């Protein structure tokens, strides 16, 4: 792993990137200066062995996260039919009885988090689990599609071991940059003769491919997931319409283009799609349905939403007005409730930073798998005090918000934000990002390692500048990479 | 050696996406259905006054010439006494029908610089005073 500070600068690169979807490149800092999010010129270069190491780490981390999720759902009383019976009219989940309550997940959401977690497994969450009195005709298990996620890894090249910093499981962004912009950069700059060129199969893994050159065909993440959903919900049409929702109050265009790109891959995979605003998701009170409402007053033009992807954190969603109703709709034992991509477990179990202490507790002693982890504890636990150099992070936090880095008891950098207001934090042993010399000063890369449909799919590198850049935030740069570039 | 495991063979983009990148309106942004509208209380000359002058709950003797000015081009933070940029529209401070149509409270005070996101959005109720960028990803 090396950083080349003086790479080629493509003529008209800004316009090229823009036309490929990077419409949110220019970032205004609080002091009014503009920075370019995409860095043209510098790039990172990896050996094939390093890429394979990152790929193995990503697979292994994903497997560990699945075991950690299994452990987490078993710590909720609603995991059992009896627990759900007891909890039908009474509250049975609180911080002392239920791990999900302890980490801040509202009780009304627990059942659907557990259900979506077990969906697709014929043994663990059957019709009987949803309808214990068997009042309705028997149904086969449901399925909850999930297409993507991103691990943020520490890595310093050959001789070091990738370490999990956190898992952006539900709403990872920088997808356009990773999948599209840097791929075209590699295509245009042509810096390497290695057949892999760049670790980046995100696009192909989303849309699938035909068999060619001795490689078998692959249906891709969308078709694989929607096919499985249709197996579970046989009433869905062959090509169900997939809605894609984003929050329009995010005005830079980043959310919009990330969602639009995912939508474009679903479209390429053959599905009818529509891009909508979060505010156009409506609730039909009398019909208990989720609807696409083009505008208030246009309810007669509303359309039921069978399948929807939303780039909107579940932990915001379930605290809002419609939250409870949408979870009740999801609980329909006849499987006619709206299907949400990514499922709620992505935020509640995997994207929640509470997974970091759970992983360490389960695998910290495992010599093979534990090496990809850093010691982590709940901030209010006794063991947390054993760490004198640590990163303190809110369990619900994004873009590095409210993260504090402490070295030998002294704060080296922090990033105050509204996150963490609920007081739930974890601490993770400090593992400062590696340093490289850049033209602007010392830079610190973090590896964003993508999962598409549960498989490692490539990487995007974000780079922070100086001590402030040790916490990766919104204003950190995106820097492309190659595999075994010449020279 | 399986190359596809590591690298996309081609990254082609659908026309829907490319049109969006080219600045085309997103499906939900079409027309004027979704935009930020800024609101200020100002006098007949468009000079910003304290928002209490547009408080329909306050009873002033007789009529007075204060208006709620609005425009998608208004930003938050213009000071009292400054003149609003040209190009806005206005309605009388106590025009309840106009207030309601923008999702504003039908009576009472409207903070100067209120930005309504999705004037007709959020399932009909409308959200208000959200002029910070609301990033959902990470």
């Amino acid at each position: 792993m090396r950083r080349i500070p003086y790479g080629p600068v493509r003529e008209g690169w800004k316009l090229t990137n823009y036309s490929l979807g990077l419409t949110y490149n220019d970032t205004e800092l609080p002091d009014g200066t503009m920075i370019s999010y995409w860095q043209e010129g510098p790039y990172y270069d990896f050996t094939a062995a390093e890429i394979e190491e990152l790929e193995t780490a990503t697979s292994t981390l994903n497997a560990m996260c699945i075991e950690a999720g299994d452990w987490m759902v078993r710590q909720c009383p609603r995991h059992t039919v009896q627990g759900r019976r007891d909890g039908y009219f009474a509250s049975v989940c609180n911080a002392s009885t239920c791990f999900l309550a302890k980490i801040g997940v509202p009780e009304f959401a627990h059942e659907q988090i557990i259900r979506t977690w077990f969906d697709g497994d014929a043994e663990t969450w059957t019709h009987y689990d949803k309808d214990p009195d068997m009042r309705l005709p028997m149904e086969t298990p449901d399925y909850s599609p999930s297409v993507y996620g991103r691990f943020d890894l520490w890595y310093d090249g050959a001789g070091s071991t990738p370490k999990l910093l956190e898992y952006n499981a539900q709403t990872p962004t920088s997808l356009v940059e990773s999948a599209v912009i840097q791929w075209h950069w590699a295509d245009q700059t042509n810096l390497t003769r290695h057949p892999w060129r760049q670790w980046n199969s995100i696009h192909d893994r989303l849309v699938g491919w035909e068999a060619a050159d001795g490689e078998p065909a692959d249906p891709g993440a969308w078709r694989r997931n929607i096919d499985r959903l249709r197996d579970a919900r046989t009433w869905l049409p062959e090509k169900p319409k997939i809605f894609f929702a984003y929050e329009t109050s995010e005005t830079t265009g980043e959310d919009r283009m990330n969602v639009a790109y995912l939508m474009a891959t679903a479209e390429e995979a053959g599905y009818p799609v529509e891009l909508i605003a979060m505010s156009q998701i409506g609730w039909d009170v009398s019909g208990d349905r989720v609807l696409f409402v083009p505008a208030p007053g246009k309810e007669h033009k509303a359309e039921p939403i069978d399948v929807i992807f939303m780039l909107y954190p579940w932990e915001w969603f379930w605290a809002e007005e419609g939250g409870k109703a949408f979870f009740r709709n999801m609980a329909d034992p006849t499987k006619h409730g709206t299907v949400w991509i990514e499922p709620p477990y992505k935020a509640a179990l995997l994207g929640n930073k509470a997974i970091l202490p759970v992983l360490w507790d389960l695998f910290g002693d495992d010599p093979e798998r534990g090496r990809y982890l850093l010691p982590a504890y709940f901030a209010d636990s006794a063991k947390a005090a054993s760490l004198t150099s640590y990163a303190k992070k809110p369990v619900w936090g994004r873009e590095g918000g409210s993260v504090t880095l402490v070295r030998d008891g002294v704060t080296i950098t922090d990033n105050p934000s509204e996150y963490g207001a609920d007081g739930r934090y974890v601490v993770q042993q400090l593992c400062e990002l590696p340093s490289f010399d850049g033209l602007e000063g010392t830079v610190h890369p973090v590896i964003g390692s993508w999962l598409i449909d549960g498989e490692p799919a490539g990487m995007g590198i974000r780079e922070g500048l100086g001590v402030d850049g040790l916490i990766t935030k919104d204003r950190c740069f995106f820097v492309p990479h190659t595999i075994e570039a010449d020279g | 050696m399986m190359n596809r495991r590591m690298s996309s063979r081609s990254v082609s983009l659908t026309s829907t996406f490319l049109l969006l990148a080219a600045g085309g309106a997103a499906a939900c942004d079409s027309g004027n259905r979704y935009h930020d509208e800024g609101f200020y209380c100002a006098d007949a000359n468009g000079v910003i006054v304290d928002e209490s002058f547009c408080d329909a709950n306050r009873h002033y003797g007789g009529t007075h010439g204060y208006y709620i000015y609005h425009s998608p081009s208004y930003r938050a933070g213009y000071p009292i006494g400054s003149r609003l940029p040209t190009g806005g529209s206005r309605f009388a401070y106590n025009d309840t029908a106009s207030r309601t149509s923008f999702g504003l409270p039908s009576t009472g005070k409207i903070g100067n610089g209120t930005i309504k996101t999705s004037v007709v959005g959020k399932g009909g109720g409308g959200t208000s005073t959200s002029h910070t960028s609301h990033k959902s990803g990470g």
Side-chain angles (χ1 to χ4, degrees):
Chain A
M1 177 181 180
R2 61 195 175 113
R3 185 182 191 278
I4 293 88
Y6 298 98
V9 175
R10 293 168 295 162
E11 202 173 321
W13 60 269
K14 220 175 219 187
L15 194 59
T16 302
N17 287 354
Y18 193 97
S19 66
L20 290 168
L22 189 64
T23 61
Y24 43 93
N25 181 64
D26 294 337
T27 309
E28 188 176 352
L29 297 182
D31 67 2
T33 54
M34 297 299 269
I35 54 166
S36 174
Y37 168 56
W38 170 272
Q39 292 288 290
E40 182 80 8
Y43 64 96
Y44 286 86
D45 185 53
F46 293 78
T47 65
E50 288 170 332
I51 295 297
E52 284 182 319
E53 169 83 341
L54 287 165
E55 190 191 32
T56 304
T58 303
S59 299
T60 309
L61 285 165
N62 187 44
M64 284 193 282
C65 286
I66 290 169
E67 289 185 44
D70 276 338
W71 181 88
M72 288 160 99
V73 297
R74 284 200 305 273
Q75 315 307 312
C76 172
R78 290 173 188 274
H79 172 242
T80 63
V81 170
Q82 189 58 43
R84 290 192 292 280
R85 238 187 246 281
D86 296 344
Y88 197 76
F89 286 119
S91 166
V92 293
C93 297
N94 57 60
S96 58
T97 62
C98 172
F99 186 78
L100 299 185
K102 182 186 166 187
I103 62 178
V105 181
E107 185 168 8
F108 71 80
H110 292 190
E111 259 176 68
Q112 291 312 303
I113 287 161
I114 300 170
R115 190 270 292 176
T116 53
W117 177 255
F118 284 125
D119 266 351
D121 184 331
E123 303 298 316
T124 39
W125 195 271
T126 61
H127 181 83
Y128 176 67
D129 286 287
K130 293 182 245 188
D131 180 22
D133 298 326
M134 300 301 265
R135 279 181 287 221
L136 296 159
M138 183 77 163
E139 293 278 354
T140 55
D142 207 346
Y143 183 72
S144 286
S146 158
V147 293
Y148 78 157
R150 193 191 78 222
F151 289 119
D152 281 346
L153 306 179
W154 176 97
Y155 187 54
D156 197 15
S160 73
T161 303
K163 303 276 186 191
L164 175 66
L165 298 172
E166 58 190 62
Y167 185 10
N168 298 284
Q170 189 214 337
T171 62
T173 51
S174 77
L175 185 63
V176 178
E177 305 84 296
S178 301
V180 182
I181 309 295
Q182 71 167 350
W183 188 92
H184 282 277
W185 167 85
D187 199 45
Q188 290 159 2
T189 53
N190 209 18
L191 295 164
T192 169
R193 278 170 289 182
H194 194 280
W196 294 350
R197 197 164 69 171
Q198 184 178 73
W199 185 30
N200 181 5
S201 56
I202 299 168
H203 189 86
D204 276 0
R205 286 175 184 274
L206 284 165
V207 302
W209 59 79
E210 307 281 326
D213 305 334
E215 286 188 64
D218 185 299
W222 286 112
R223 280 191 284 254
R224 204 157 34 233
N225 273 277
I226 301 297
D227 283 354
R228 289 198 66 185
L229 179 65
R230 288 189 62 246
D231 287 345
R233 300 184 171 210
T234 48
W235 52 272
L236 279 173
E238 187 190 347
K239 298 287 181 192
K241 179 170 180 176
I242 310 174
F243 288 89
F244 287 81
Y246 71 102
E247 179 50 52
T248 45
S249 64
E250 199 284 312
T251 50
T252 68
E254 181 174 358
D255 283 9
R256 179 172 96 146
M257 295 315 290
N258 271 272
V259 173
Y261 171 67
L262 259 189
M263 182 179 84
T265 61
E267 193 181 20
E268 203 179 328
Y271 297 95
V273 294
E274 181 154 358
L275 187 63
I276 67 169
M278 284 302 294
S279 59
Q280 288 173 310
I281 301 173
W283 175 243
D284 172 2
V285 176
S286 58
D288 247 12
R289 290 185 307 170
V290 182
L291 299 176
F292 163 56
V293 185
K298 301 275 185 201
E299 283 78 6
H300 59 290
K301 292 193 174 164
E303 208 180 312
I305 297 177
D306 291 329
V307 186
I308 182 169
F309 170 91
M310 68 165 178
L311 189 71
Y312 197 79
W314 279 107
E315 67 268 23
W316 299 356
F317 190 89
W318 63 47
E320 284 167 7
E321 194 183 341
K324 272 190 184 162
F326 291 142
F327 273 82
R328 194 174 67 242
N329 165 272
M330 258 186 258
D332 177 5
T334 70
K335 301 186 287 189
H336 279 69
T338 294
V339 175
W340 300 85
I341 307 171
E342 299 285 317
Y345 72 76
K346 276 298 200 77
L349 307 178
L350 303 182
N352 191 315
K353 289 180 189 69
I355 199 172
L356 298 171
V358 172
L359 284 168
W360 182 251
D361 193 48
L362 295 176
F363 304 105
D365 294 333
D366 182 329
E368 261 314 296
R369 303 198 280 178
R371 65 198 184 98
Y372 298 121
L373 302 171
L374 292 163
Y377 309 101
F378 285 101
D380 56 5
S381 67
K383 282 181 176 166
S386 65
L387 293 179
T388 53
S389 295
Y390 56 86
K392 185 178 175 192
K393 307 174 178 187
V395 295
W396 310 107
R398 283 154 206 270
E399 295 280 328
S402 300
V403 172
T404 307
L405 303 187
V406 174
R407 189 198 294 136
D408 301 327
V410 179
T411 299
I412 50 176
T413 183
D414 63 0
N415 186 24
S417 80
E418 71 276 22
Y419 294 115
D422 63 359
R424 293 187 175 88
Y425 283 83
V426 299
V427 291
Q428 183 182 44
Q429 188 181 84
L430 185 66
C431 185
E432 285 176 49
L433 293 173
S435 299
F436 288 87
D437 290 329
L439 297 179
E440 314 81 0
T442 305
V443 291
H444 308 285
V446 62
I447 309 286
S449 180
W450 287 93
L451 285 167
I452 300 295
D453 205 9
E455 290 181 345
M459 99 178 130
I461 300 171
R462 299 284 303 276
E463 199 174 70
L465 182 61
V467 173
D468 179 64
L470 287 171
I471 299 175
T472 305
K473 353 181 145 78
D474 213 13
R475 59 177 170 273
C476 286
F477 307 125
F478 189 95
V479 185
H481 74 275
T482 51
I483 298 172
E484 302 192 359
D486 301 335
Chain B
M1 193 179 301
M2 299 253 296
N3 293 335
R4 237 155 173 160
R5 181 183 112 212
M6 288 299 179
S7 196
S8 294
R9 186 151 305 172
S10 74
V11 176
S12 59
L13 298 159
T14 66
S15 55
T16 319
F17 181 80
L18 292 173
L19 278 169
L20 276 170
C28 45
D29 292 343
S30 60
N32 284 325
R33 278 179 9 217
Y34 285 90
H35 59 247
D36 290 347
E37 189 88 3
F39 296 87
Y40 279 89
C41 178
D43 66 14
N45 299 316
V47 175
I48 299 171
V49 297
D50 188 86
E51 53 224 18
S52 64
F53 285 98
C54 290
D55 182 347
N57 287 334
R58 273 175 70 157
H59 297 288
Y60 293 95
T63 51
H64 67 289
Y66 296 108
Y67 300 87
I68 294 166
Y69 285 71
H70 59 99
S71 165
S73 67
Y74 293 171
R75 296 288 164 256
Y78 305 144
I80 288 171
S82 66
R83 192 181 292 272
L84 285 163
T86 53
S89 309
R90 71 182 192 188
F91 54 83
Y93 75 96
N94 55 359
D95 177 349
T96 50
S98 294
R99 281 167 163 254
T100 311
S101 71
F102 284 104
L104 297 165
S106 59
T107 62
K109 204 157 72 170
I110 295 156
N112 275 333
T114 290
I115 305 292
K116 296 288 294 180
T117 293
S118 310
V119 169
V120 287
K122 285 279 180 195
T127 39
S128 60
T129 64
S130 166
H131 31 80
T132 53
S133 189
H134 205 202
K135 193 171 183 308
S136 308

